[in-house]
Amino acid sequence: MNKLGSIIILFVFCMTTAKAEDGSRLWLRSEMPTDITLSIDSTMPDDDGYRISGKTITARTQMGLLYGKYALLRGEQGESHPYFKYRILNHWDNLDGTIERGYAGESIFWSLTPAPSPRERGDHINKYAEACASVGINGTVLNNVNASPKMLTPIYINKVKEIADILRPWGIRVYLSVNFGSPKALGEVKTADPLNPQVRKWWKKKTREIYKLIPDFGGFLVKANSEGQPGPFDYGRTHADGANMLADALKPYGGIVMWRSFVYGAKHQGEDRVKQAVSEFAELDGQFRDNVILQSKNGPLDFQPREPYAPIFDQMKKTPQMAELQITQEYLGQSKHLVYLAPMWEEFFGYVEPSRLVGIAGVANIGLDTNWCGHHFSQANWYAFGRLAWDPTLTSEQIAKEWLSQTFGNEKGKMKNEEISTVITSLLLRSHEACVNYMMPLGLHHIFKFDHHMGPEPDGFKADYPIEWCPVYYHRANKDSIGVDRSSTGTNATGQYREPYRSLYDNIKTCPEEYLLWFHRVPWTYRMESGLTLWDEIQRHYNRGVAEVDDFAYIWQQTKPCIDEQRWQEVDECLRFQQKDARLWRDTCLKYFGSFLSSE
Ligand code: GCW
């Protein structure tokens, strides 16, 4: 058959299968088969894994059986066990219903009174829980790490109990972000000094109060002495003093403390920002209680489109660690750009072996929007996070295919047309690299617009703010060169890495070009691997990024007959915006950087 013939047949075929969809059902559109056989086998390994043979699911626990059902639905056979013990979403939700870095509407948990209480929102929270459980997520932090002390008042603890009751049947434990200054801020103790007996007593009492209502409460997540948050440093104490105080309060109940290493501008103010976490925490290794987990962002700066891995994962040898990934696209086009994040996370696990971690946390991209995540394709990032938390050896491609067939396939969860599935999968897989290229290729970083982080501002400088908040600090372009020397001749950030990466990154000749301007200060005329000068290569990357997005928009046009109308339209609109925005990024950055070259 000729090509036109096959396209017409494809068109007619697809037209008969497409029907109205608004994205609210996420990837859970397939019918659960009714003839599944479930059986418990107490000899299986002691976790929530499952074994699937035909339509028989065997597991050691009830949760294992539930996980097995969703696995069967996505076509799995054989045995599977969760890799990480802690597979946790972090919601940066505020008690007034707003979400820090949220791009999909208001919080599903919190709202200003007299808006609905969690119980009244039960159905919605229940659906959220099912979606999480379907990919194996087993914990959730219900509030922003920039935590309000009010979170620990009885009225809110009671709301947490309501939420915990809804999530429990889905195997999801609740955790809370706590404000380290709470005892003082709530006016109950005069200080929040972690070595003060009154303060320690306060936390013990508060913890008891929580466990009385929520016996399976998971524990606390803490952002301390970072970006203005209170912490032990305010009292001349260390992070270990602070974390251990909370750990002692939680220990009798089996709770954990997830203590964040995202600190800068406190004790090591003035040092290269990407070095500060290691400077602060490495000397504390070995001093934390065994129920403290250090939680660190994947990169040493802040969820940039591409960062080298954070060397703190190399430095903490005795402290259990978790990686924090950002599912919400704060720095990746928010919910306007189609960017599939699994390839970025896969890259991270290529450097930081999962065996060094006890868990992973993902900053959620979920809100009250009908489609939960703002962009229909942002749902793939929630899905991918869960799947990688269960099995970090899965490839981005495999996850993309699974998600796609369940989200855009027919009732049986299958894309009926292989060709469409292949092109959309390739679009997903190329989307992260495209974003890096049109935003900040070759190791450029943090040249975002001030505060809201949408769009470019490479010339950003505000005298009133710390220099680490100004884009110019991160590229330092002048008429000769661009980039930050973080090698041994500069800030020596490379010295924080384990070998072979230390040497590899330290030498400009061996540093992978994707991290070049992160680790090195490079003359505009420097010859790149391609033979082009650095400046020509930068232009080539920006242009490539734009061309990729144009191609995505073209591909999407071809899929129209096969995708239900509403979702197709909404994605199409976003892609048009992304095309414009990619151009804005390219043009703004090339004009600005180019001005240094022409000023000679
Ligand atoms: O990147 C910054 C974000 C802040 C966030 C902070 C953090 C919750 O812009 O919004 O605060 O990281 O991770 O603590």
Side-chain angles (χ1 to χ4, degrees), residues 59-70:
R60 186 185 170 114
T61 64
Q62 288 300 328
M63 269 317 295
L65 293 178
L66 185 73
Y67 290 147
K69 282 192 203 170
Y70 290 101

Side-chain angles (χ1 to χ4, degrees), residues 92 100-101 144-146 223 227 260 262 297 302 330-331 453:
W92 286 356
E100 182 152 351
R101 313 307 177 188
N144 192 353
V145 286
N146 291 326
K223 171 176 178 178
E227 300 186 332
R260 295 176 90 224
F262 178 72
K297 295 186 181 183
D302 190 7
E330 174 180 359
Y331 295 103
H453 300 156

Side-chain angles (χ1 to χ4, degrees), residues 425-567:
T425 304
S426 94
L427 184 162
L428 280 164
L429 294 176
R430 287 153 55 194
S431 61
H432 171 251
E433 198 64 41
C435 180
V436 170
N437 279 329
Y438 63 71
M439 285 188 181
M440 37 197 83
L442 298 168
L444 285 170
H445 49 286
H446 223 313
I447 51 177
F448 289 96
K449 273 220 164 113
F450 187 70
D451 198 29
H452 56 69
H453 300 156
M454 182 76 191
E457 195 177 357
D459 59 340
F461 174 73
K462 286 191 170 32
D464 296 348
Y465 285 90
I467 188 68
E468 314 88 61
W469 288 23
C470 302
V472 294
Y473 170 79
Y474 295 101
H475 62 70
R476 305 181 196 187
N478 68 15
K479 67 178 182 34
D480 303 312
S481 39
I482 179 170
V484 185
D485 184 1
R486 296 198 167 105
S487 75
S488 45
T489 59
T491 71
N492 201 26
T494 50
Q496 294 185 335
Y497 285 87
R498 73 181 194 272
E499 291 291 5
Y501 300 113
R502 179 183 303 177
S503 305
L504 198 75
Y505 297 158
D506 200 58
N507 183 341
I508 192 170
K509 292 280 169 225
T510 55
C511 180
E513 287 194 344
E514 62 205 26
Y515 303 137
L516 189 65
L517 302 176
W518 183 285
F519 287 116
H520 295 279
R521 181 152 187 82
V522 186
W524 295 109
T525 51
Y526 180 81
R527 286 281 153 205
M528 303 291 286
E529 275 161 30
S530 62
L532 296 175
T533 64
L534 170 65
W535 172 235
D536 286 342
E537 189 70 46
I538 288 179
Q539 296 179 75
R540 190 160 76 128
H541 274 74
Y542 274 106
N543 284 319
R544 188 187 298 159
V546 170
E548 281 286 272
V549 181
D550 285 349
D551 199 44
F552 300 160
Y554 173 78
I555 289 173
W556 194 248
Q557 292 299 318
Q558 315 310 304
T559 68
K560 188 169 186 181
C562 289
I563 308 278
D564 42 278
E565 199 179 329
Q566 183 179 340
R567 287 192 300 176

Side-chain angles (χ1 to χ4, degrees), residues 82-87 138 349 354-355 357-360 388-390 392:
Y83 192 93
F84 297 116
K85 183 168 175 199
Y86 300 103
R87 309 181 293 277
N138 68 353
F349 286 125
S355 61
L357 307 171
V358 297
I360 61 172
L388 285 171
W390 183 276

Side-chain angles (χ1 to χ4, degrees), residues 73 118 270 375 383 480 547:
L73 210 53
H375 196 302
Y383 183 90
D480 303 312

